[in-house]
Amino acid sequence: MFWNLKEIYKALDKKFKHKENIEFQKISIDSRKIGINDFFIPIVGKNYDGHDFISHVSDLGVKACLVENKKKLQVKNSPIHKIFVKNTQESLEQLAAYARKKNKTLQMICITGSSGKTSLKEWTGKVLKERVNTYINPGNYNNEIGMPLSLVNMPTKTEVCILELGMNRKGEIKKLTKIASPNISIVTNIGLAHIGNFNEPKDIAKEKASIYEYLNKKSFALIPNDSPYSEILIEKASRKTQNIISFGKKETSNSNFSKIKENKFIFRVLGKKISLEKKNYFKHWEENALIILIILKILKFDFVDFKKRIENLKPLDGRGKKIKILKDKKKFFLIDETYNSSPHSLEHAILNANRILKSNQKLVLVIGDMLELGNFSKQLHLKILEIVKKVSPKLLITIGSFSKIITDNAKPNLKAYHFKTYHKVYERLIEEIDDSDIVMIKGSNSINLSKVCERLKEK
C-alpha cells in the first residue's frame, strides 16, 4: 500500500492542517534499512528505543515519522515532520487496521498453529500468485510488530493476502486477528510450543481458537479434525460462522486424504476428489496440500489448474530440506530442521528422517533444547527419548541444558554426546559421520544449530 501524509493523519484520526502532502513508498521501523521515501515509525522495545534514531533517519532524508508524546523533548531539534501519538506500537496497529479496511474486496487468509504455519503460508502464496495478486507477510513477520508492519505495506492491488499469526502469550492471536479481519481462518494443529507461558495444553487450544473471533457468517473456519482439541476449536468457530470445514486423515472430516499407493494420495475436498503425487519427503506435505485444496475450493478455483504446482512444492530452508553434502571425502545427507523446535515438530522431524532411511543408510540425530516450555521442560525433553529409542540412531548429540536429560538416559545402549553450546558440535559430527548417513539437526533458534548446518554446507 502506498501512503501519503494526509492518509496517515486520517488513519490515526488526526486533523491534517498542512500544505504539503508527502507521499511514501512504504512504512519502516528499521533505521538501518530505511529509504528516503519511507515513513518512519520508532518502536519502543525492551532493549531499544526507535526514537534514538529519528535524527539519523532525518539526516538520511526521511521526511516524516511518528513520535510518542512523552518523547517530544528527545526529538525537538530534528527538522523531520513529526506526528505525535500516545504510543507508536498502537499507532502501527491502527494504520494496519486502516490498510485492511481500505481494501474492500480483499480475501484475507490468516493462519496459526503450533507448527507448520510458515510452510503453509509460503506454499499457499506460491500456488496462488500466478493466478491472482497475492501477498504474504515476509519471513517470520508474524508477531505484534511484524504482522501489522506487513499489513501496512501490502500492495494496493492485492487480491488475496495470507498472513501467519504467531503467539507467545495469551491475547496475541485475538489482537492480531482483530487487525487482520480474516475471511478464512486456519489452525494447522495444536501442539506444546510455548507451553511455558500457559497452564496446560488446553489453554493453548483456547488461545489458537481466538483466530475465529472476528469471523462473520460468510467467513470460513478451517479446523484440524485429528487434533484432540478440535471440539474446542469448533465450539469457538461456530459462534461466528456455520462455514466450518474440518480436515485431516479421519474419514469423518469434511475434507480428508488417504494414501492409495507409494507416494500417491487421494484428496477428498468438500465432495470433490483429486489424486496427487508426493514428490518430496516433507513431513507435512499431505496436510498442507489438503488445506491448500480447501482454500482453492473456497476461492472457486479448479483443482486441476494447480495440480503440478502443489505436487512440486518443496520444503523451506531450515524446515526439513534434504541436502546432499560432500565434506572431507564423505558423502552424506543433511536434513536441516533448524528453524525452531517444539515437542510436536521435533517428534515429527525425527520420525520423518527415519522414514526416508534406505537399507545402506544410518541416522544421526542432533537435538538442541526446546525452549519456552516452562515447568514442562524436563518432562517434554525426556518424552523425546521414547522417539529416539524407537528410531535407534547410530549417534545422538544433544545441545543446551534441558536436552542433557535425553543423552543421560539414552546411555549405555546408544552412542551419545552432550554439549552445552553448539561450538564443538561440528567437529564431533565430522569425526563420526560416514558415507550415506542421514544427519537430522533441530533445536530452538537461540541454540544456534543453524550455524552447524552452515558449516556443513560450506564447499
Side-chain angles (χ1 to χ4, degrees):
M1 178 173 178
F2 294 96
W3 293 86
N4 60 54
L5 196 59
K6 189 174 182 179
E7 195 159 36
I8 288 175
Y9 271 84
K10 182 180 178 182
L12 296 174
D13 294 323
K14 290 181 174 290
K15 290 184 178 181
F16 184 73
K17 301 177 181 178
H18 306 275
K19 292 180 180 180
E20 186 182 7
N21 187 21
I22 309 166
E23 293 188 345
F24 308 101
Q25 284 189 345
K26 70 176 192 296
I27 291 176
S28 175
I29 63 168
D30 192 338
S31 62
R32 297 163 299 179
K33 300 177 182 177
I34 198 165
I36 62 171
N37 294 316
D38 296 346
F39 182 87
F40 182 56
I41 297 183
I43 299 296
V44 180
K46 288 183 180 179
N47 303 312
Y48 63 90
D49 184 350
H51 292 81
D52 294 337
F53 305 101
I54 288 178
S55 292
H56 170 68
V57 300
S58 179
D59 291 342
L60 291 175
V62 175
K63 298 179 180 64
C65 68
L66 295 184
V67 176
E68 291 189 353
N69 292 323
K70 58 188 175 184
K71 307 281 183 177
K72 282 183 180 181
L73 293 177
Q74 187 175 330
V75 299
K76 66 177 183 177
N77 294 324
S78 179
I80 194 171
H81 182 105
K82 308 171 196 70
I83 303 176
F84 293 101
V85 296
K86 181 180 178 181
N87 181 287
T88 52
Q89 169 67 44
E90 291 175 1
S91 295
L92 171 61
E93 294 165 6
Q94 204 171 340
L95 291 170
Y98 177 88
R100 168 63 181 102
K101 291 173 183 174
K102 187 178 178 182
N103 192 331
K104 304 294 184 185
T105 60
L106 181 71
Q107 287 287 346
M108 175 65 78
I109 302 170
C110 287
I111 303 168
T112 194
S114 295
S115 61
K117 301 182 293 294
T118 304
S119 292
L120 178 60
K121 175 200 71 177
E122 297 284 342
W123 280 11
T124 306
K126 190 170 184 178
V127 167
L128 288 174
K129 70 177 183 180
E130 292 180 24
R131 292 294 299 274
V132 289
N133 289 323
T134 305
Y135 175 73
I136 63 174
N137 43 350
N140 60 343
Y141 276 33
N142 62 9
N143 62 12
E144 59 186 9
I145 296 174
M147 194 285 277
L149 186 62
S150 301
L151 199 44
V152 295
N153 289 315
M154 177 178 65
T156 305
K157 294 183 180 180
T158 300
E159 296 172 272
V160 177
C161 179
I162 308 163
L163 297 178
E164 170 190 345
L165 310 187
M167 175 202 77
N168 289 316
R169 58 186 180 274
K170 189 175 181 181
E172 280 188 273
I173 296 295
K174 184 177 180 180
K175 183 178 183 180
L176 295 176
T177 304
K178 184 178 182 180
I179 295 168
S181 186
N183 307 100
I184 302 171
S185 286
I186 304 164
V187 175
T188 57
N189 50 52
I190 304 293
L192 297 175
H194 312 298
I195 184 63
N197 298 324
F198 296 86
N199 294 322
E200 58 178 333
K202 189 182 290 186
D203 293 332
I204 295 177
K206 290 178 180 178
E207 173 62 19
K208 298 291 186 186
S210 298
I211 198 169
Y212 307 124
E213 182 72 30
Y214 295 96
L215 297 179
N216 58 45
K217 292 179 180 180
K218 294 181 179 179
S219 306
F220 291 84
L222 275 60
I223 291 173
N225 202 34
D226 298 332
S227 170
Y229 304 104
S230 60
E231 291 298 323
I232 292 175
L233 301 178
I234 291 170
E235 193 277 329
K236 182 75 169 181
S238 61
R239 297 178 194 174
K240 301 294 179 179
T241 182
Q242 295 304 305
N243 297 321
I244 296 173
I245 303 172
S246 60
F247 63 87
K249 292 181 183 178
K250 292 181 180 178
E251 291 184 9
T252 54
S253 304
N254 299 133
S255 298
N256 59 62
F257 66 89
S258 58
K259 183 184 272 191
I260 50 179
K261 61 180 180 180
E262 190 64 29
N263 294 330
K264 195 124 185 187
F265 293 80
I266 186 78
F267 293 85
R268 305 169 190 87
V269 181
L270 303 173
K272 189 169 183 178
K273 294 181 182 180
I274 186 171
S275 64
L276 296 175
E277 181 183 354
K278 183 176 183 178
K279 295 183 179 179
N280 67 68
Y281 52 88
F282 185 64
K283 55 187 177 292
H284 294 304
W285 179 85
E286 297 93 322
E287 290 87 349
N288 283 359
L290 179 61
I291 296 171
I292 292 169
L293 289 168
I294 295 170
I295 292 170
L296 292 174
K297 178 72 173 176
I298 292 171
L299 298 180
K300 299 180 179 178
F301 287 118
D302 190 334
F303 293 163
V304 178
D305 295 340
F306 298 87
K307 181 178 171 72
K308 287 185 179 180
R309 287 182 220 172
I310 297 174
E311 290 179 333
N312 291 323
L313 291 168
K314 296 178 181 178
L316 309 178
D317 289 339
R319 293 173 172 87
K321 183 175 280 189
K322 183 180 176 184
I323 305 156
K324 190 173 183 178
I325 305 288
L326 175 59
K327 198 83 174 176
D328 294 350
K329 298 181 180 179
K330 296 178 181 179
K331 296 178 182 178
F332 58 95
F333 295 91
L334 169 66
I335 300 180
D336 182 358
E337 288 271 10
T338 54
Y339 183 80
N340 232 331
S341 187
S342 67
H344 180 266
S345 63
L346 177 55
E347 178 181 333
H348 277 272
I350 294 170
L351 293 174
N352 187 61
N354 185 65
R355 195 177 296 120
I356 64 174
L357 280 178
K358 295 179 181 177
S359 57
N360 65 327
Q361 295 179 314
K362 292 183 178 179
L363 182 61
V364 175
L365 295 178
V366 182
I367 298 173
D369 281 0
M370 299 177 287
L371 303 180
E372 296 187 9
L373 300 180
N375 295 331
F376 297 89
S377 293
K378 182 178 178 180
Q379 170 191 339
L380 293 173
H381 279 85
L382 189 58
K383 192 174 180 181
I384 292 298
L385 181 60
E386 300 171 18
I387 307 300
V388 172
K389 287 181 176 179
K390 183 177 180 179
V391 302
S392 188
K394 83 163 194 179
L395 174 69
L396 168 68
I397 296 176
T398 57
I399 304 95
S401 301
F402 302 114
S403 58
K404 189 175 186 294
I405 197 171
I406 304 174
T407 45
D408 285 348
N409 288 276
K411 297 174 181 178
N413 300 322
L414 181 64
K415 190 174 185 180
Y417 299 92
H418 179 77
F419 299 91
K420 286 186 177 180
T421 67
Y422 73 92
H423 294 90
K424 295 182 180 179
V425 173
Y426 172 80
E427 285 76 13
R428 173 54 61 186
L429 273 175
I430 289 300
E431 189 175 321
E432 299 283 349
I433 292 171
D434 294 313
D435 279 348
S436 299
D437 283 353
I438 289 184
V439 183
M440 195 286 292
I441 302 180
K442 189 169 182 65
S444 284
N445 288 332
S446 57
I447 305 301
N448 288 315
L449 293 184
S450 60
K451 294 183 179 180
V452 178
C453 286
E454 286 168 11
R455 286 198 69 184
L456 289 172
K457 289 185 272 189
E458 286 175 357
K459 292 184 180 179

